[in-house]
Amino acid sequence: VLDKTGMKGTGRWTVQEAAEQSVAAPTITASLDSRYISGRKDERIAASKILNAPTGGPNISKPQIIADLGAALYCAKICSYAQGLGIIKAASDANNWDVDLSQCAKMWKG
């Protein structure tokens, strides 16, 4: 994992628009926060010299961990889509745009 992020601003704009529309977008916000944290390598290095990591790992098989991470990623993807559609719907309603959310979903699916 590289210690740098490509910040184009779209995540920040999305979170700002969610706030403007009074729409909760916790998964999108958490992903933006993670990007900010990943860019603070010097602070993480300093913290690693003070804080001790837990000893030993979980008593779970590697295939189980991989399966659980895959399920968590899929859940986060669904939450992100739902939150994004919620932001679009709120803006559409506020501005009388009549956005077809099913078309948005089709475009995102690719």
Side-chain angles (χ1 to χ4, degrees):
V1 175
L2 297 176
D3 285 307
K4 57 183 175 181
T5 61
M7 299 295 278
K8 299 177 298 228
T10 53
R12 181 174 43 88
W13 299 333
T14 302
V15 171
Q16 287 173 331
E17 188 61 29
E20 288 291 323
Q21 298 299 329
S22 299
V23 174
T27 305
I28 297 170
T29 302
S31 69
L32 181 63
D33 290 344
S34 295
R35 293 195 78 160
Y36 290 148
I37 291 168
S38 74
R40 301 178 84 151
K41 184 177 180 179
D42 293 341
E43 289 180 28
R44 288 185 284 117
I45 290 171
S48 73
K49 294 176 183 176
I50 299 168
L51 304 171
N52 296 318
T55 57
N59 190 16
I60 302 172
S61 71
K62 185 175 180 178
Q64 183 63 53
I65 291 172
I66 292 170
D68 290 348
L69 287 173
L73 179 60
Y74 184 68
C75 180
K77 186 175 181 176
I78 291 170
C79 290
S80 295
Y81 283 150
Q83 292 165 23
L85 289 171
I87 296 165
I88 292 169
K89 179 172 180 358
S92 177
D93 290 348
N95 295 289
N96 298 313
W97 291 337
D98 197 30
V99 173
D100 183 346
L101 296 179
S102 68
Q103 289 299 315
C104 290
K106 286 179 185 175
M107 286 190 303
W108 287 351
K109 186 178 176 190

